[in-house]
Amino acid sequence: MTHSSTPPPERIPSKGVSQGTYTDTLERSTGRFASFAVAFAFVSIATGIFTTYGSVLKSSGPLGIWTWPIVIVGQLAVALLLGALAARIPVTGYAYQWVSRLANPILGWITGWISFTFLAIVAVAVDYTVAATVVPALFDFTGTALTSFLITAAILLLQGLLVAVSTKWTERVNNFAVSAELIGMVALVVLLFIVGVFTHKLSAGNLFSRGDIPAEGYWNFGTATAAGPWMLGFLLGAFTIVGFESAANLAEETKRPEVVVPRAMWQAVLASGVLGFLFLLVVTAAVNDPTALAESGTPIADVIRDILGSFVGTALLILVAIAIFACGLVIVMSGVRLTWAMSRDQRFPGWQALHKVSPRTKTPLNATIAMTTISAVILGVFSTSTDALFILFSAATLLPAVIYAITVALYIAKRRQLPQSAAFSLGRWEIPIIVVAVAWLVFALSLFRDASFRQPWLYVLVMVAIGAVYLGYLLITRGRDGLKMPELRSIDTELDQVSGARGVAEDVPQ
């Protein structure tokens, strides 16, 4: 079918687990920019580049930045495939909902649990960055494990309070932060280029330098337990360009989600990719000593200060702090929505309380408390480790790759059975996009064979084991039939049914 000029209804009931429909209890008020801002804030190039640039200089040298365009192409392909699913299954819970319907409720539950595991730890990872690097640099003090723990806990609490109190204000704060990040990053690229050219501080040779990384074996794929030096550079983009699907986790709160959500996802990846690469090029060209810079806790800020002065360098740190706060805020909100969605299906521990929406705030208040508390516990577990930041970021890079691989594999297997959607279709580009996405995900997962990811893999296995225990409990108490999910349905059919139902209701005499 094709959409008429009449806008679709604001509320779209989705087929439910046992009753026939979900009760649409969340307000549908999220617009196009807010949806894009959610996806863009989660990706947050300011957060990702600021956090991992030094690691890339150590592992791959400045030449490692050229892995970024490849990551963008791969992740854009993944975003387009996930967008095709989001247009057809616009229900809060994203990968959990998609896999439950494409495969079966058991694999769907596992994917949902892995997604929750990712969101719980990445919230800590990004907030920990503010505490461990940004705040000490801003206020010129040496951070400790205790100060990092306390600052991170305070940020988590503030984010949790905002998400609990008001979705509208959460989106307003995020919209402001994303606008500031977009304007700030563009301004930095322009200023760095202009001032760098006039002061002769830009060197094109830096863009093709290995730093102090030996030439021998630099381009190798690596061994069974170690990735090659240049290959490790892919982690810069692999950590940064993730979370774009968070826009789909607010599908039931988004106006025209079948149109808005897929667009928000691929636009966030493309915008982040282009702007992020321009920033990487100009920053790397401005590096004076790559080897010395790699040892800094704030290498990006050091380069900015050298070219633009201490005032702009400090302004950058403030911008990064705002971007990281917004990133963590969106992650907490996305984790809350996933917890609420699984609880609504009676499939999350403590669902009896977590599926409720507060009549006063119109938010999943109990789910927000649970999400914030669990992230705080994870923070407590990792806060005593001297390598806490690396472990957190490594796990936060590994988990989305696993989630994307599961979802894309199922899309490939079930794509001919998917309901049609006039709002978003890949058309003749579907097969090329699938080829690119599969090649990228296979390569990305191969990077995590490196021995440095042993602890992140251990974390994943522990969390999966915890989830397996609860899944076993669900199967024993309810049986396989007790976990059934609704069939796949076309969003266009849903819209027609809602329009028809409203038309009938309007014709009934009062």
Side-chain angles (χ1 to χ4, degrees), residues 11 84 112 157 169 207 221 254 466:
R11 290 183 175 273
L157 178 60
W169 274 102
L207 303 178
F221 183 70
T254 303
I466 294 171

Side-chain angles (χ1 to χ4, degrees), residues 241-257:
I241 312 297
V242 296
F244 44 82
E245 72 280 10
S246 57
N249 214 10
L250 273 70
E252 293 176 45
E253 299 163 75
T254 303
K255 301 173 184 176
R256 299 191 69 193

Side-chain angles (χ1 to χ4, degrees), residues 82-344:
L82 268 56
L85 288 175
R88 291 158 174 80
I89 313 173
V91 186
T92 298
Y94 66 126
Y96 156 70
Q97 300 282 9
W98 302 336
V99 175
S100 294
R101 289 160 170 78
L102 291 173
N104 58 69
I106 295 176
L107 185 57
W109 191 93
I110 293 170
T111 305
W113 182 254
I114 293 173
S115 300
F116 172 77
T117 299
F118 161 60
L119 293 169
I121 195 170
V122 76
V124 179
V126 297
D127 289 346
Y128 197 89
T129 303
V130 177
T133 60
V134 180
V135 173
L138 268 175
F139 295 98
D140 194 23
F141 70 90
T142 302
T144 64
L146 179 60
T147 58
S148 296
F149 171 81
L150 293 175
I151 295 171
T152 305
I155 295 170
L156 267 173
L157 178 60
L158 182 58
Q159 290 164 341
L161 283 172
L162 191 54
V163 172
V165 169
S166 172
T167 298
K168 183 176 291 185
W169 274 102
T170 299
E171 290 184 348
R172 285 174 179 172
V173 170
N174 185 55
N175 290 349
F176 165 78
V178 166
S179 299
E181 184 174 358
L182 283 167
I183 295 170
M185 293 297 284
V186 170
L188 280 172
V189 169
V190 173
L191 283 172
L192 281 170
F193 181 77
I194 293 175
V195 176
V197 168
F198 275 97
T199 58
H200 304 288
K201 288 188 176 182
L202 297 184
S203 172
N206 281 356
L207 303 178
F208 306 98
S209 168
R210 295 186 306 273
D212 63 347
I213 310 298
E216 185 178 355
Y218 180 81
W219 300 100
N220 287 353
F221 183 70
T223 64
T225 58
W230 193 69
M231 301 301 164
L232 288 173
F234 282 89
L235 296 174
L236 171 64
F239 169 74
T240 305
I241 312 297
V242 296
F244 44 82
E245 72 280 10
S246 57
N249 214 10
L250 273 70
E252 293 176 45
E253 299 163 75
T254 303
K255 301 173 184 176
R256 299 191 69 193
E258 74 285 2
V259 175
V260 171
V261 170
R263 184 179 298 168
M265 290 164 63
W266 71 259
Q267 286 180 344
V269 173
L270 190 60
S272 299
V274 173
L275 183 55
F277 190 53
L278 291 175
F279 184 69
L280 282 170
L281 287 174
V282 72
V283 164
T284 303
V287 172
N288 183 31
D289 184 350
T291 303
L293 188 66
E295 301 303 320
S296 171
T298 55
I300 297 293
D302 292 350
V303 173
I304 302 298
R305 286 194 182 102
D306 181 50
I307 302 296
L308 301 178
S310 60
F311 177 81
V312 178
T314 301
L316 169 69
L317 289 173
I318 295 172
L319 174 66
V320 169
I322 292 171
I324 293 176
F325 179 84
C327 180
L329 180 67
V330 165
I331 293 167
V332 170
M333 182 166 64
S334 189
V336 167
R337 294 316 189 262
L338 176 60
T339 302
W340 174 78
M342 294 181 71
S343 298
R344 181 174 57 177

Side-chain angles (χ1 to χ4, degrees), residues 71 152 182 294 383 416:
V71 176
T152 305
L182 283 167
S383 63
R416 299 190 186 281

